[in-house]
Amino acid sequence: PRSPRLLTMLDARAVRARARELLSQVTLQEVSGSLGDLGTFIPLLVGMQQRGAVRFVPALFWAGLFNVATGAAWGVPMCVQPMKTIAAVALTDGLSAVEVTAAGMLVSLVVLILGATRLISAVNRAVPLPVVRGLQLGLGLSLVRRSASMVFAPGAAWLDPYEGLLLGAVSLLAVLAMLQAERVPAALVAFCAGLALAGARAARDGRDIDFRLESPVHLSILDVTWADVGSAAWRAALPQLPLTTLNSVISVCKLAEDLRPDRPVTREAVAGSVGLMNLVGCPLGAMPSCHGAGGLAAQWRFGARTGASVVVLGLAKMALAVFAGPLLVALLEGFPAPVLGAMLAFSGLELARAGVQAKGGEMPGADATFVALATAGFTVGLGTGVGCLAGLAAWGA
């Protein structure tokens, strides 16, 4: 048998060989492709940070680390994106940071078990697809409604350069225009513009930017109570679970197989990745994260073809979190609400579009449409938990 020392040397050689392979794959096209999924990542991260649902520096750092790990392990441009249902509920219904952490861990524990027991496909079939689509539509519309109140805040002055209605209108039109050019990272451009405005506001007001160091590790589950766990399970984890099994495991594996048949990614591996990312990361400050077919498709459209693209993106996120994170946090305190609202409106529309863009054969007939609309309506009006149960009741009626 090989000695532990020899095994360690062999592992080190394999790591160095993989690192050289990834370095050889770094091209301008791969770097461009890494920006494809920022349209969802940036608005949700900034919005959740503004609501106190996550801390910016740890969330950015761990997202980067997960990018590096998945890109190096699979060799495909597998995205790491926020769990959209949990993020949308946090933004629209005001989940606390502890509830966000608990929701992410609950979903991930179930997904990890389902992947380990190879039951994830069976559970996915048990949840009617119209209910899943209705949740996506309802949550997307709720997020759009929330963002509209930020873009066009009641009582805001029309010409205020930082919170005015004109800034909101220009931001919204600019984001929508950039989205028509598929290769333009609209969210990144809007984010940089918002940071510039926040810096200009601080300079105008003569306010010193409080630059303070912040650890990339934040123990976010110390004060959890059973009431927090129950609220997180009902309001966020329950509606997130079917979206995770469908989009973050089954659909993304099928898309990865279509795009890179030479680099197969199994459902069990992706389920294990989602589980471990959040069970390890969420208690240490990561925001609930998953993989997704939409993010993979966006990165592929921008030019990503290998895991090197997301490794580069991950290293950039980690470097920003460590070296520029405190500065970004200070600037985000004055980030213009109309610009953030425009960014979140895009995220809401993307989520709602996923609910109405059913692929061939997914939602046949008027009954399925009724179930999806009923789920969406109750989600918008009474919340995700009620919306999910209402959809299941309508399906079974």
Side-chain angles (χ1 to χ4, degrees):
R2 292 171 173 171
S3 67
R5 178 180 177 81
L6 179 57
L7 288 174
T8 301
M9 291 174 62
L10 291 174
D11 290 342
R13 290 173 184 171
V15 169
R16 287 197 294 270
R18 180 64 180 138
R20 287 194 295 269
E21 180 186 5
L22 288 168
L23 184 60
S24 69
Q25 294 171 342
V26 176
T27 64
L28 184 60
Q29 175 179 309
E30 294 289 343
V31 174
S32 172
S34 70
L35 305 177
D37 194 41
L38 294 181
T40 298
F41 177 81
I42 291 177
L44 294 181
L45 172 59
V46 175
M48 293 175 73
Q49 190 270 343
Q50 295 276 34
R51 298 278 284 181
V54 297
R55 291 199 178 203
F56 184 86
V57 169
L60 183 62
F61 177 85
W62 285 98
L65 183 61
F66 298 151
N67 276 133
V68 172
T70 55
W74 288 326
V76 298
M78 185 72 72
C79 68
V80 174
Q81 57 187 201
M83 289 188 177
K84 295 184 182 67
T85 298
I86 295 176
V89 174
L91 291 169
T92 57
D93 291 349
L95 290 179
S96 68
V98 170
E99 289 172 323
V100 168
T101 299
M105 294 180 69
L106 287 171
V107 171
S108 299
L109 178 61
V110 175
V111 171
L112 184 64
I113 293 172
L114 292 176
T117 57
R118 298 178 182 270
L119 291 175
I120 196 158
S121 297
V123 171
N124 184 67
R125 288 192 298 269
V127 179
L129 190 57
V131 175
V132 177
R133 297 307 188 199
L135 285 170
Q136 291 174 311
L137 176 59
L139 283 166
L141 293 176
S142 296
L143 190 53
V144 171
R145 181 177 63 180
R146 164 70 180 162
S147 66
S149 67
M150 301 170 67
V151 173
F152 302 110
W158 181 254
L159 295 178
D160 186 311
Y162 303 106
E163 300 293 340
L165 299 177
L166 180 60
L167 176 61
V170 170
S171 300
L172 191 59
L173 290 174
V175 169
L176 291 175
M178 285 187 288
L179 291 176
Q180 301 305 310
E182 292 187 347
R183 301 297 293 272
V184 177
L188 181 61
V189 174
F191 178 64
C192 292
L195 288 179
L197 286 172
R201 172 190 280 184
R204 183 200 66 175
D205 297 340
R207 176 169 52 88
D208 293 332
I209 295 179
D210 182 19
F211 185 92
R212 59 188 182 279
L213 295 178
E214 184 173 349
S215 170
V217 175
H218 169 65
L219 299 179
S220 58
I221 198 116
L222 293 178
D223 300 325
V224 66
T225 65
W226 285 112
D228 293 325
V229 174
S231 175
W234 169 249
R235 298 166 63 194
L238 175 65
Q240 176 67 58
L241 182 59
L243 272 67
T244 299
T245 59
L246 173 65
N247 186 59
S248 301
V249 180
I250 294 174
S251 296
V252 78
C253 288
K254 180 63 173 65
L255 180 60
E257 180 184 1
D258 292 340
L259 297 176
R260 290 293 305 268
D262 59 315
R263 301 300 295 259
V265 180
T266 66
R267 294 175 179 179
E268 292 75 23
V270 174
S273 173
V274 172
L276 292 176
M277 278 195 308
N278 294 286
L279 291 176
V280 173
C282 283
L284 301 177
M287 62 179 171
S289 301
C290 61
H291 310 296
L296 173 56
Q299 290 178 163
W300 187 272
R301 186 173 68 246
F302 268 60
R305 296 294 183 268
T306 71
S309 62
V310 288
V311 170
V312 170
L313 176 64
L315 292 174
K317 288 178 180 177
M318 294 170 69
L320 280 173
V322 172
F323 299 110
L327 175 62
L328 293 175
V329 170
L331 288 174
L332 287 175
E333 292 178 359
F335 197 90
V339 178
L340 177 57
M343 295 162 61
L344 289 175
F346 161 71
S347 295
L349 290 172
E350 283 288 295
L351 185 56
R353 184 170 67 175
V356 298
Q357 281 188 335
K359 298 178 178 64
E362 278 192 350
M363 291 173 57
D367 290 343
T369 302
F370 171 78
V371 171
L373 292 176
T375 305
F378 278 99
T379 297
V380 172
L382 298 175
T384 49
V386 174
C388 185
L389 291 182
L392 291 173
W395 180 261

